[in-house]
């Protein structure tokens, strides 16, 4: 449905990650290999952290492959942690407020996949969003509602728990409406320090997700690659679909798992949604 | 905040109403005289009826004054009943799904004004929208929610009653949250046969609204005007702000009133919101 | 590079041709089968004739597959002759003034293909455009310049001759700059009565082009198809790539040929560019 | 027609100059006081210098006043030298390639005003542009052609001479076509080190232009202003129309003059166009 990328490590110019590699994310907007859709031309977004407390977000409804402003910005913005997303819309309008990543305070959130039967359960979901957060929902995308559900369930305190509760809630509501497999996809979220990346689907057959091996290992394997020499040892890319031409560089995230990357050490753990404590109304 | 125009009568090319007159609606997008804002450059929309059962809608986020597609379409589309709207956004994003007119089935709806304190009461309002209609809300504009409230309250059966109940509900919810004057504005809605145009504000100082005098009278007054000779006797324009250069052509809609125009005869009646039967939760 | 479609016949709603058929032009914007590029997402355009002397043109930089306005207009505009084009940009910006069809007076012009080495010869070409036409060039696309060259060479009087001279001129100028195969593509042009469709490339390996067999023959073959029963006997579609699911419906235009369709009878003739009389400066 | 702003000095966040001041350039996009047009809503552009050799450029066709991406970028990009421009289109399309500032290599160029009779002399002008530069012209704006004329006449070596020759050439060609006052406006250009700002019109009644007094003087006058304390002593703003609320802060550029700001010292000199040496062909 979409393709996304998350980077954490020493600061790099966005263009070195978004444009320079073979089969880059920008190429994937036009010709994805692993995506459910080969074209991801319904807008894009970039969110990045710098010295200011709140991340910057640049989103557009144009296809990424021919967008001069994205190319300009990628050549001039450096960041130690950024998200990028190219969108294939399913169901909701092509408009900036439906483009990922979504932002709330210091948090960014993006998704590749969908909430099945979203129209039928959207009302249940938005009613569960905390009243104080409700006015912050600007668009109509399932992902944005999922983000505000996760925020309602404590994303800022315990991201894996909040995402597990949000997806558990979506599954409960969906199944109550007769949807067999309510959730599908991969999610990335960050507070600007760590990146949490999830791979899960109700049907147990989730959209692909990959992350890079340790940079020191890659440097040995590909000593001629300049980018590998430049970035810090703890740099990581997490992607829907491998970029570049380094076959040994990628580890596939297992089905029903999540990873934590960035400051404070890395972990790869299993993931299971947490159903709501009580039966749905 | 916005400027709008509704036409009903014998079919005319949209351009004869939208572009040709002095101080046309398109001019008002750049230089309004009576509007709360002089510039209405945050998108526009046109909705028109022809032989197909559902009206066509063309909406764009570009300023109307320089939009080549609108100019093209206006020169090629004839209609016996159409709405046009130029927007000055307050609070909600500049995106097509926030542009007026809004459409549901055969119905169109547009508004100049605002729901004061909308962020605070939006949740109350959307929860009141009928569950079957809820998924149809595509944007985030106060007007769209008002439209779906009116549909929930029976717009298709009794438009004045439904609009009175929708505004009454908005006022009740707003006042419960401490908003002194929750509703402001003028509204037009149509089923493709009649046009209902409302002028009302909680503070009793509503946005301007005008409609044209009887065409036979105007023809006598301005015998040289070709458009007046072309259109049918029952043609009417309803506008936020007079267009053209015919000083005697316009009647101001009184404060707290509504008019019915089009098939089935015309009426001008007083308007009062209908508060919800029970106290708010 | 692009996909296009021309229709002439009894008036039909655009949507019946643009959206309804299997593998429609709108589908081809996302998934072309025969195109040099599978995605044609860099804008689109429609030009149509009605009672007004000058055709209407609606062009947008958004991908056609998700453009709500195009869908609306196609459902409300009927025409007896129209062009539609979905674009895959190569080299020039994604902007309305680069979208096909181009219009001058009553004439429309569109193209699938390219002028090779255009940057190198563009100056030569625009200098050859008649001085009175020069200010009408609004964009930077090779096709627009080709159109104004053809107009300079008498498109309004003898379209096949003018197109042959325009392409001949492009080839002469290109070869003078060392370009082996300066022209590639298919072209359609119309004055609102007849459609001229050309298939030619300097290398003798041109982009695909098809037209429909006689409607009475198709009606016999596919008696259950409603659209075939509705349209006039002389209706024709000319397309870059077949639409619909009627395998026997299409005739491939031969290499280096052109066809004339519409009022005044049909012809299929061979095509050869006409080099300029004198050696290039 | 337009409003523009140039900053040179110690690095500042763009937002502190573009958004924070009272009556900022962004406000002027909606409500200019001194402009020939009060609304400058036909797109905008920002060009900025950082560590990379070529400046970044972000241009959009949306009105600046409601553009979320501009607001985002302005809050995250710091620069020691940047240009910003809000456009009121006259004659040429609202498209990114017509938005200022224009860029060539390290150079930026922007303009408030117009070339009178541009359609009539455009051909003469573009033919004079150096052949190697000709393919770089991407849009249809008079300013872009003026920029490439100035580059042809040696902008990179002697900016005041090149601009004087470009305007002189425009005046000669315009007068040869019967245009009384061919040039009007203010121009800013930069190589990333110095800013050259010109005020001139053929009629001797030029669009307004202002620059800031010495920062140390302003600091004494307005000791409470944080921005004044932050920026370097040599910081300068050059603007079409004063921003902020510091009445004593602005010096009006005299009629027919130019200023040089930035590295290498400042100068204020008189300006006169240089007519071409020979009579026009």
């Amino acid at each position: 449905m979409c393709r996304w990328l998350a980077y954490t490590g020493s600061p790099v110019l966005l263009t070195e990650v978004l444009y320079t590699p073979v089969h880059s994310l920008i190429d994937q907007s036009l010709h994805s290999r692993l995506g459910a859709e080969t074209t991801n031309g319904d807008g894009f977004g970039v969110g990045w952290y710098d010295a200011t407390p709140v991340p910057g977000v640049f989103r557009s409804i144009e296809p990424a492959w021919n967008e001069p402003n994205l190319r300009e910005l990628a050549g001039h913005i450096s960041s130690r942690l950024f998200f990028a997303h190219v969108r294939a819309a399913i169901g909701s309008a092509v408009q900036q407020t439906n483009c990922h990543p979504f932002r709330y305070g210091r948090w960014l959130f993006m998704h590749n996949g969908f909430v099945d039967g979203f129209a039928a359960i959207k009302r249940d979901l938005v009613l569960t969003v905390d009243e104080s957060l409700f006015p912050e929902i600007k668009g109509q995308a399932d992902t944005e509602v999922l983000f505000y559900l996760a925020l309602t369930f404590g994303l800022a305190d315990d991201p894996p728990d909040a995402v597990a509760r949000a997806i558990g809630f979506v599954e409960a509501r969906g199944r109550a409406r007769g949807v067999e497999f309510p959730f599908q996809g991969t999610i990335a979220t960050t507070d600007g320090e760590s990146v949490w990346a999830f791979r899960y689907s109700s049907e147990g057959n989730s959209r692909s997700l990959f992350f890079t091996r340790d940079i020191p290992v890659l440097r040995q394997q590909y000593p001629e690659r300049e980018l590998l020499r430049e970035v810090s040892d703890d740099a990581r890319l997490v992607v829907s679909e491998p970029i570049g031409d380094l076959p040994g560089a990628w580890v596939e995230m297992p089905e029903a798992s999540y990873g934590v990357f960035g400051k404070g050490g890395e972990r790869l753990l299993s993931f299971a949604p947490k159903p709501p404590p009580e039966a749905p109304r």
Side-chain angles (χ1 to χ4, degrees), chain A:
Chain A
M1 313 297 130
C2 306
R3 302 280 83 180
W4 60 254
L5 170 160
Y7 172 84
T8 168
S10 53
V12 292
L13 264 186
L14 270 54
T15 198
E16 295 191 51
V17 173
L18 294 186
Y19 284 90
T20 308
V22 178
H23 194 58
S24 72
L25 187 76
I26 307 304
D27 293 338
Q28 293 176 22
S29 72
L30 193 55
H31 299 297
S32 159
R33 288 174 195 149
L34 303 186
E37 297 288 346
T38 57
T39 306
N40 298 280
D42 300 320
F44 66 84
V46 176
W48 72 98
Y49 292 83
D50 53 24
T52 33
V54 168
V57 172
F58 174 63
R59 302 190 295 180
S60 164
I61 62 169
E62 309 304 329
W65 64 76
N66 253 336
E67 226 282 327
N69 285 323
L70 178 59
R71 188 176 287 271
E72 287 291 314
L73 296 170
H76 286 272
I77 292 175
S78 279
S79 177
R80 57 176 175 78
L81 196 165
F82 61 91
F83 278 15
H85 187 277
V86 293
R87 185 169 180 241
I90 34 172
S92 61
V94 179
Q95 57 189 28
Q96 277 183 31
T97 54
N98 287 347
C99 289
H100 311 215
F102 298 95
R103 176 181 64 196
Y104 179 77
R106 286 190 63 82
W107 288 81
L108 293 177
F109 191 94
M110 61 183 174
H111 173 211
N112 165 35
F114 57 92
V115 171
D116 199 19
F118 181 59
I121 64 169
K122 182 178 178 183
R123 190 170 181 278
D124 294 351
L125 302 187
V126 297
L127 293 199
T128 305
V129 168
D130 191 86
E131 281 201 38
S132 68
L133 295 172
F134 182 87
E136 302 299 318
I137 301 178
K138 306 290 189 209
Q140 48 170 165
D142 50 3
T143 303
E144 191 186 23
V145 174
L146 196 69
F147 179 29
Y148 281 94
L149 274 180
L151 285 163
T152 299
F153 292 145
L155 185 70
D157 298 320
D158 185 344
D161 178 70
V163 170
R165 290 178 62 196
I167 294 177
F169 189 82
V170 163
E171 288 191 332
R173 282 295 184 266
R175 283 170 184 150
R177 300 265 182 169
V179 178
E180 191 177 4
F181 301 126
F183 181 81
Q184 166 62 267
T186 64
I187 288 173
T189 189
T190 181
D191 60 355
E193 302 297 333
S194 299
V195 172
W196 290 263
F198 301 84
R199 185 181 183 209
Y200 174 77
S201 59
S202 309
E203 59 178 306
N205 183 19
S206 302
R207 297 283 181 265
S208 60
L209 191 60
F210 299 84
F211 59 94
T212 46
R213 290 187 191 285
D214 279 353
I215 291 291
V217 173
L218 287 175
R219 264 194 220 113
Q220 281 199 314
Q221 221 179 331
Y222 301 99
E224 76 290 357
R225 296 300 170 114
E226 199 174 348
L227 184 58
L228 294 175
R229 286 200 303 265
E230 282 173 18
V231 298
S232 56
D233 283 10
D234 64 351
R236 289 280 183 199
L237 271 173
V238 191
V239 297
S240 298
E241 178 172 335
I243 65 173
D245 53 355
L246 309 184
W250 299 96
V251 182
E252 186 169 12
M253 184 89 75
E255 184 69 45
S257 70
Y258 73 96
V260 192
F261 307 95
K263 286 201 179 157
E266 301 189 355
R267 295 176 297 284
L268 187 60
L269 296 157
S270 67
F271 176 83
K274 297 184 179 169
E278 313 152 65
R281 282 172 297 180

